[in-house]
């Protein structure tokens, strides 16, 4: 049987270190890891967007992924449509698009 990063036991127990998506990209700067932690610590969508707006110029691709993944966790069933004009949301969308290799 082949082991996988994505088996149910791993998700139930948790795993030390970065999510598997980052395992192959090498070493990230400690500031980026601290920013990951700060992004995950935000309790509301507005708090998340406030932090994104402050720090987006320092984001790497990993921070962008963490920020986007955090949205459904803190949205409290708010529609992103309400944030269509929000500068942080717009900046995050631009960052996502620019991170995609073409």
């Amino acid at each position: 049987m082949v082991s996988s990063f994505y088996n149910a036991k791993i998700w139930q127990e948790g795993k030390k270190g970065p999510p598997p998506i980052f395992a192959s990209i090498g070493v990230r700067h400690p500031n980026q890891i601290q920013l990951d932690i700060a992004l995950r610590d935000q309790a509301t969508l507005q708090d998340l967007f406030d932090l994104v707006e402050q720090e987006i110029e320092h984001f790497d691709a990993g921070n962008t992924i963490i920020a986007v993944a955090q949205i459904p966790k803190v949205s409290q069933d708010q529609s992103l449509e309400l944030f269509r004009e929000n500068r942080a949301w717009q900046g995050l969308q631009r960052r996502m698009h620019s991170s995609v290799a073409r």
Side-chain angles (χ1 to χ4, degrees):
M1 179 184 230
V2 176
S3 178
S4 169
F5 281 128
Y6 301 101
N7 70 39
K9 186 175 180 182
I10 294 292
W11 288 107
Q12 291 167 351
E13 294 176 359
K15 187 173 187 321
K16 299 276 188 228
I21 193 169
F22 300 125
S24 65
I25 65 171
V27 178
R28 293 175 70 215
H29 193 279
N31 291 345
Q32 302 319 120
I33 294 168
Q34 290 299 347
L35 191 48
D36 287 347
I37 293 166
L39 288 164
R40 288 187 188 110
D41 283 345
Q42 302 311 301
T44 68
L45 192 54
Q46 188 59 57
D47 290 344
L48 178 63
F49 282 164
D50 288 347
L51 181 60
V52 167
E53 188 170 0
Q54 291 172 358
E55 298 291 340
I56 196 162
E57 295 303 318
H58 304 114
F59 275 23
D60 67 2
N63 299 133
T64 303
I65 291 168
I66 298 294
V68 171
Q70 190 67 12
I71 291 171
K73 297 176 185 176
V74 299
S75 69
Q76 300 166 341
D77 295 327
Q78 294 179 66
S79 170
L80 283 175
E81 185 66 26
L82 299 172
F83 293 90
R84 180 179 51 214
E85 302 300 320
N86 182 288
R87 289 186 318 192
W89 176 232
Q90 292 173 353
L92 189 55
Q93 290 179 79
R94 282 191 300 275
R95 182 62 64 130
M96 287 186 294
H97 290 289
S98 71
S99 296
V100 175
R102 300 203 188 282

